[in-house]
């Protein structure tokens, strides 16, 4: 009984200490690319002054508090960029010394001068934590300092309009002040999802009044025939007069909507809308997941249209492994498309254009990658485990599926059908980057070393395939070859004679599409090869 009394007393004392200085507001992901307005607010929840000189923030940030005593009921703010903070909010705050707060989750620990933990918050951007604090404008706010601030459901959104607009979104926060006692913030439309070619749902952070049923408040999708609220009045379904074009991007503008307290939006919100429910013949055929550099800066994924018809890929998602919604684009048969961790570095290293993914990365040991359509139906998926793929673990070689194949989206599910990219004898797929050799084939035929050896017994090599401008046809014999170029419907476009050595075929003035190279000589009957021009 005595032990139980002591334990209960100790718990009460620790709770009482923790309740003195409380973390009450966190702004961790300001809209836009730069988190210059990140801040942490603390509050003296006791009835007496507390000297916090020498206290330290740990984990997410590293900062030692200088000479400071907080009076009872007093707030104090620490920030990432004191100049930007003062410019935005009109008063100064203490700047911490290291990086910004994590944009999805982070741990904020506050210790006293003796190293005793006085308060902590481990915030996240998923429920029960308020999700709008993740890049939509509001801060995280603890309106009742007596509640346990380690529990996400005890937090709410910063609800004080500031008039500060960043990347088209207003900041809602109240540093150095408590939460407003009444509803003074307008509704925030935070998401818009296309559910079919003629319906789009708009999600609000609170119930909205009949202004949300006025179709004039929604623009960018053509004529809207109706706007209907759900039972809780926080989701509005728009019905479109003209169906959305599959794979085409639209920009929906939402404005002038009021909440039930008649607080009206003052700034429109914009949403990219694209609907694509197709299950196209698109699949992954090359991964570069473990390049020989420290931060895996050259990671990329290549997809290819392995079918016989064009595929609109706009609106397709990489939603596992990496996060990216593919742009408006149509892939012709055999055309490839590359997405990458850093599109600029990919261009510098390999001379190709790539789409940079939004977030995520490829694990160096194991990863699941999924490509879906707008309805999150799986188009292609791939799981790798490097325990059986040692030849691509930091060696510089990418992981590829070698042609020929037909149903690539099932063929590539079998890890045994993947292999390390093979260096060509002419080094055309070997790139020296930062003094290290990488063996990759983005935007060209995988396994060309094997493919070329089996192409012809005529000493002819073709590369790259596909191309946006030039094809190299290497004649390794002393024989003169004739090359005829045909388009996809069989019309002859040109005749070229191939001398010994490297013959450069200029396709830059040809329309994008599929072509056939027919090669012959006195000793060779016609051999035909499919070429992709993009």
């Amino acid at each position: 009984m005595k032990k139980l009394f002591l334990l209960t007393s100790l718990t009460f004392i620790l709770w009482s200490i923790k309740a003195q200085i409380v973390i009450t507001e966190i702004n961790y992901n300001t809209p836009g690319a730069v988190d210059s307005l990140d801040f942490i607010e603390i509050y003296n929840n006791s009835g007496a002054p507390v000297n916090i000189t020498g206290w330290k923030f740990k984990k997410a940030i590293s900062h030692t508090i200088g000479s400071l005593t907080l009076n009872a009921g007093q707030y104090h703010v620490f920030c990432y960029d004191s100049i930007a903070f003062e410019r935005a909010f009109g008063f100064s705050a203490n700047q911490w010394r290291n990086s910004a707060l994590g944009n999805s989750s982070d741990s904020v620990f506050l210790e006293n001068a003796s190293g005793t933990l006085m308060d902590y918050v481990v915030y996240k951007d998923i429920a029960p934590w308020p999700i709008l604090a993740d890049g939509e404008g509001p801060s995280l706010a603890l309106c009742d300092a007596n509640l346990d601030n380690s529990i996400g459901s005890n937090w709410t959104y910063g609800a004080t309009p500031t008039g500060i607009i960043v990347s088209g979104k207003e900041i809602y926060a109240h540093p150095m002040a408590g939460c407003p006692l009444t509803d003074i913030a307008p509704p925030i439309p935070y998401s818009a999802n296309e559910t079919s070619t003629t319906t789009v749902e708009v999600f609000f952070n609170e119930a909205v009044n009949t202004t949300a049923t006025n179709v004039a408040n929604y623009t960018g999708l053509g004529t809207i025939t109706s706007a209907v609220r759900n039972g809780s009045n926080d989701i509005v379904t728009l019905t479109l007069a003209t169906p959305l074009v599959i794979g085409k991007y639209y920009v929906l503008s939402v404005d002038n909507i009021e909440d039930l307290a008649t607080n009206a939006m003052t700034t429109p919100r914009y949403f990219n809308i694209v609907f694509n429910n197709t299950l196209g013949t698109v699949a992954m055929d090359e991964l570069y997941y473990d390049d020989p550099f420290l931060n895996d800066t050259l990671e990329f994924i290549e997809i290819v249209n392995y079918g016989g018809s064009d595929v609109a890929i706009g609106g397709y998602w990489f939603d596992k492994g990496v996060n990216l919604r593919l742009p408006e684009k149509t892939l012709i048969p055999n055309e490839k498309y590359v997405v990458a961790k850093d599109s600029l570095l990919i261009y510098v290293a390999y001379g190709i254009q790539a789409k940079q993914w939004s977030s995520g990365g490829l694990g160096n040991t194991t990863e699941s990658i999924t490509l879906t359509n707008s309805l999150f139906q799986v188009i292609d998926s791939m799981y790798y485990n490097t325990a059986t793929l040692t030849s691509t673990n930091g060696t510089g070689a990418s992981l590829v599926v070698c042609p020929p194949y037909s149903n690539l989206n099932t063929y590539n599910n079998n890890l045994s059908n993947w292999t390390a990219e093979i260096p060509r004898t002419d080094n055309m797929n070997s790139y020296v980057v930062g003094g290290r050799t990488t063996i990759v084939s983005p935007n060209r035929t995988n396994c060309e070393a094997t493919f070329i050896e089996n192409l012809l017994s005529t000493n002819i090599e073709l590369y790259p395939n596909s191309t946006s401008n030039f094809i190299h046809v290497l004649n390794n014999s002393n024989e003169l070859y004739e090359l005829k170029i045909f388009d996809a419907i069989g019309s002859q476009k040109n005749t070229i004679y191939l001398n010994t050595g490297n013959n450069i075929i200029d396709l830059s003035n040809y329309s994008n599409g599929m072509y056939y190279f027919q090669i012959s000589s006195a000793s060779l009957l016609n051999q035909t090869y499919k070429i992709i021009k993009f």
Side-chain angles (χ1 to χ4, degrees):
M1 187 71 175
K2 183 176 181 181
K3 289 182 179 178
L4 178 62
F5 173 77
L6 290 173
L7 180 61
T8 303
S9 301
L10 179 60
T11 301
F12 176 77
I13 292 170
L14 289 174
W15 182 87
S16 300
I17 292 173
K18 176 175 165 48
Q20 284 185 342
I21 303 298
V22 182
I23 299 169
T24 50
E25 189 171 5
I26 301 173
N27 191 47
Y28 68 84
N29 190 10
T30 304
V34 181
D35 293 327
S36 57
L37 296 183
D38 282 8
F39 70 80
I40 299 169
E41 175 192 83
I42 61 175
Y43 173 70
N44 183 354
N45 194 38
S46 73
V50 177
N51 184 353
I52 61 172
T53 302
W55 287 30
K56 296 179 177 66
F57 283 103
K58 295 285 188 70
K59 299 289 187 179
I61 67 170
S62 177
H63 180 73
T64 301
I65 299 172
S67 178
L68 180 63
T69 296
L70 288 185
N71 294 321
Q74 183 180 353
Y75 294 93
H76 197 82
V77 176
F78 302 87
C79 68
Y80 171 57
D81 185 331
S82 59
I83 296 175
F85 182 92
E86 184 170 3
R87 186 184 300 121
F89 294 105
F91 62 91
S92 61
N94 292 118
Q95 180 172 312
W96 62 68
R97 297 183 182 278
N98 62 338
S99 60
L101 297 169
N103 283 349
S104 58
S105 64
D106 221 330
S107 302
V108 182
F109 281 38
L110 181 61
E111 297 178 354
N112 66 13
S114 300
T116 301
L117 182 65
M118 306 303 290
D119 195 21
Y120 68 92
V121 175
V122 181
Y123 66 81
K124 298 180 180 180
D125 63 352
I126 56 175
W129 292 87
I131 59 175
L132 290 193
D134 185 9
E136 292 298 324
S139 64
L140 277 178
L142 184 75
C143 293
D144 185 348
N146 294 307
L147 296 178
D148 186 347
N149 62 359
S150 67
I151 299 174
S153 58
N154 288 336
W155 291 76
T156 186
Y157 307 111
T160 301
T162 63
I164 303 167
I165 309 298
V166 180
S167 297
K169 298 176 180 179
E170 184 170 3
I171 304 299
Y172 296 90
H174 38 77
M176 291 293 286
C179 297
L181 299 178
T182 59
D183 183 1
I184 61 174
I188 301 175
Y190 63 90
S191 180
N193 298 332
E194 55 288 336
T195 55
S196 74
T197 56
T198 55
T199 53
V200 173
E201 291 181 335
V202 182
F203 295 79
F204 294 85
N205 70 317
E206 61 177 323
V208 290
N209 66 17
T210 55
T211 56
T213 64
N214 183 351
V215 296
N217 292 331
Y218 309 91
T219 58
L221 303 180
T223 301
I224 297 174
T225 58
S226 66
V228 180
R229 294 177 294 171
N230 68 341
S232 54
N233 295 324
D234 58 356
I235 302 175
V236 177
T237 299
L238 308 178
T239 302
L240 314 182
T242 303
L244 302 171
V245 176
I246 297 294
K248 177 180 173 60
Y249 274 81
Y250 302 80
V251 178
L252 169 64
S253 172
V254 182
D255 200 7
N256 301 316
I257 309 297
E258 298 177 356
D259 62 15
L260 300 185
T262 70
N263 297 306
M265 293 176 61
T266 57
T267 304
R269 288 283 181 121
Y270 299 95
F271 302 93
N272 287 323
I273 300 296
V274 56
F275 184 76
N276 193 338
N277 64 342
T278 63
L279 294 171
T281 53
V282 174
M284 293 170 276
D285 74 334
E286 184 172 12
L287 307 174
Y288 200 29
Y289 65 87
D290 189 11
D291 67 53
F293 299 96
L294 180 63
N295 296 316
D296 292 331
T297 50
L298 294 179
E299 286 182 354
F300 69 80
I301 302 171
E302 178 184 81
I303 59 175
V304 60
N305 176 1
Y306 61 88
S309 303
D310 293 355
V311 177
I313 63 171
Y316 283 0
W317 283 98
F318 278 105
D319 70 340
K320 188 179 288 187
V322 303
N323 186 272
L324 174 67
R325 199 165 202 186
L326 296 184
E328 187 175 319
K329 182 175 177 59
T330 297
L331 294 184
I332 63 175
N334 295 311
E335 184 178 358
K336 301 192 174 192
Y337 188 76
V338 176
V339 300
K341 183 176 184 177
D342 190 321
S343 57
L344 178 59
L345 288 180
I346 290 291
Y347 181 78
V348 171
Y350 306 129
I352 66 164
Q353 301 289 341
K355 179 66 176 178
Q356 186 165 311
W357 56 64
S358 307
S359 59
L362 302 178
N364 285 350
T365 57
T366 184
E367 191 68 77
S368 295
I369 311 168
T370 303
L371 180 67
T372 71
N373 64 14
S374 295
L375 300 181
F376 296 99
Q377 298 168 319
V378 175
I379 298 166
D380 187 35
S381 62
M382 191 268 179
Y383 169 80
Y384 64 82
N385 186 331
T386 59
T388 57
L389 294 173
T390 55
S391 59
T392 53
N393 296 349
T395 63
S398 63
L399 186 64
V400 297
V401 178
C402 296
Y405 41 69
S406 53
N407 295 323
L408 178 59
N409 64 332
T410 55
Y411 186 80
N412 69 0
N413 284 336
N414 187 343
L415 199 57
S416 64
N417 290 330
W418 292 79
T419 186
E421 178 58 302
I422 307 163
R424 288 177 44 142
T425 56
D426 59 6
N427 295 320
M428 290 301 297
N429 65 346
S430 299
Y431 302 83
V432 178
V433 182
R436 301 183 182 184
T437 299
T438 63
I439 305 164
V440 298
S441 53
N443 265 352
R444 63 186 296 164
T445 303
N446 298 344
C447 312
E448 277 187 315
T450 301
F451 179 61
I452 286 172
E453 289 171 6
N454 297 325
L455 262 179
L456 295 169
S457 59
T458 57
N459 298 313
I460 291 289
E461 299 182 21
L462 295 88
Y463 60 87
N465 187 12
S466 53
T467 182
S468 60
N469 43 41
F470 301 106
I471 290 281
H472 295 260
V473 182
L474 192 60
N475 180 357
N476 294 318
S477 74
N478 295 320
E479 190 173 8
L480 182 68
Y481 286 85
E482 181 184 71
L483 166 64
K484 292 181 179 180
I485 302 175
F486 298 86
D487 64 18
I489 61 174
S491 298
Q492 185 171 340
K493 309 297 291 184
N494 202 355
T495 298
I496 300 170
Y497 291 95
L498 306 175
N499 296 308
T500 299
N502 186 21
N503 299 265
I504 301 175
I505 312 302
D506 186 359
L507 300 182
S508 57
N509 292 324
Y510 285 54
S511 300
N512 291 348
M514 184 169 61
Y515 294 88
Y516 294 95
F517 279 22
Q518 186 182 86
I519 300 176
S520 62
S521 72
S523 64
L524 173 73
L525 296 177
N526 293 338
Q527 295 278 349
T528 302
Y529 306 97
K530 187 187 297 182
I531 302 294
I532 301 300
K533 163 69 168 59
F534 62 91

